[in-house]
Amino acid sequence: MITKLSVIIPVYNEAPTIHLILNKLKQVELVNNISKEIIIINDCSTDATEQVLLNYISNNQDLPITYFKHEFNQGKGAALHTGISKATGEYLIVQDADLEYDPNEYNDLLKPVVTGFADVVFGSRFMGSNPHRVLFFWHTIGNKFLTFISNMCTNLNLTDMETCYKLFKTDIIQKIILKEKRFGFEPEITAKISRIPGIRIYEVGISYYGRTYLEGKKIGWKDGFRAIYAIVKYGMLKI
């Protein structure tokens, strides 16, 4: 039974949007009266992110937010390591600090969990009829290619390994030793959960309101090469 969902939010230079995503989270009503725990990890932002966050927390004390700050920038994966270690809900979900993913769809990801079928749920940007912003052709090809070679190594049939929305049973993910400190987190965690005996992994379609680089998108081609390295290291070589 799930009574609390931990929402892990890694943040780096998201001053313009962090309060907006928190407003969305505040309004979300989860199924079965599941409560929310919001864990924010500021990965040493250099803009006004911290001040925006502290002001927001001060003015919204009814929202259960726990705030952590890294003293130097370590990467999204490192921020997720911190958040995962602090989670107290039976399940946890990763939420980016921008507006690319919609927290109103948490209940869609929770459905296979509350009905007793899933331990892990991936939200796929490449399935279902939800809205998807039309953006970069080569990014889409790159994501599908990374998912393809990840599936070859894990024997899973995912459609979107690189998705932000991954919902985990907390006691499972907290037992996994995670190494990747930047965007290699996605293939690493996918490879490692795939090898857990009896693990039940589901996938549901989600919306995707992608942003351009001018709007603050951070992932680049170097991260794609790191993802390939992580797929080989943790998937093919099973390190």
Side-chain angles (χ1 to χ4, degrees):
M1 182 176 178
I2 173 172
T3 61
K4 180 166 63 176
L5 176 68
S6 299
V7 181
I8 313 299
I9 310 180
V11 178
Y12 179 68
N13 289 353
E14 298 288 0
T17 59
I18 184 60
H19 66 291
L20 299 175
I21 200 69
L22 291 173
N23 284 340
K24 282 180 172 284
L25 278 168
K26 188 173 183 178
Q27 296 167 6
V28 169
E29 297 287 339
L30 299 178
V31 294
N32 294 2
N33 294 315
I34 296 171
S35 64
K36 299 186 294 283
E37 167 188 62
I38 301 171
I39 302 173
I40 300 174
I41 307 91
N42 179 3
D43 193 31
C44 197
S45 296
T46 57
D47 66 355
T49 293
E50 181 166 54
Q51 192 56 53
V52 171
L53 276 170
L54 294 178
N55 289 341
Y56 190 94
I57 293 169
S58 176
N59 295 325
N60 295 271
Q61 296 187 14
D62 57 325
L63 194 61
I65 299 175
T66 306
Y67 175 65
F68 299 94
K69 180 183 178 181
H70 287 172
E71 293 306 313
F72 59 93
N73 180 257
Q74 301 178 52
K76 179 181 178 179
L80 289 173
H81 298 174
T82 299
I84 289 167
S85 70
K86 304 297 183 182
T88 62
E90 293 91 352
Y91 278 76
L92 64 84
I93 190 169
V94 177
Q95 172 69 57
D96 280 349
D98 53 35
L99 301 175
E100 292 190 330
Y101 295 83
D102 186 1
N104 287 301
E105 295 176 349
Y106 285 178
N107 286 327
D108 295 333
L109 284 95
L110 282 166
K111 185 176 180 180
V113 169
V114 299
T115 52
F117 290 107
D119 303 306
V120 177
V121 183
F122 282 51
S124 172
R125 296 165 291 177
F126 303 123
M127 62 185 289
S129 59
N130 293 6
H132 301 88
R133 184 178 179 181
V134 177
L135 276 175
F136 309 112
F137 171 77
W138 289 111
H139 264 223
T140 301
I141 295 298
N143 280 330
K144 290 183 176 180
F145 173 71
L146 292 174
T147 298
F148 176 75
I149 60 174
S150 173
N151 285 344
M152 288 179 62
C153 294
T154 60
N155 198 30
L156 299 177
N157 63 341
L158 293 170
T159 66
D160 191 4
M161 177 273 294
E162 287 283 341
T163 180
C164 163
Y165 272 1
K166 292 180 174 70
L167 176 73
F168 300 98
K169 193 171 186 181
T170 303
D171 63 358
I172 289 177
I173 192 170
Q174 285 181 338
K175 292 174 183 175
I176 297 173
I177 299 173
L178 297 168
K179 301 291 187 181
E180 292 296 310
K181 294 186 179 296
R182 305 194 76 83
F183 290 100
F185 170 85
E186 314 295 353
E188 179 190 10
I189 191 60
T190 302
K192 290 182 175 180
I193 64 167
S194 73
R195 296 201 294 272
I196 298 174
I199 194 78
R200 300 172 302 169
I201 304 171
Y202 274 68
E203 198 175 35
V204 299
I206 58 169
S207 305
Y208 182 61
Y209 302 90
R211 57 181 180 171
T212 66
Y213 286 101
L214 287 176
E215 293 167 335
K217 193 172 188 67
K218 297 181 178 70
I219 193 167
W221 63 269
K222 291 182 180 179
D223 300 303
F225 282 106
R226 183 67 192 188
I228 293 172
Y229 169 82
I231 290 169
V232 172
K233 179 178 180 180
Y234 304 109
M236 186 180 297
L237 301 180
K238 295 181 171 57
I239 294 176

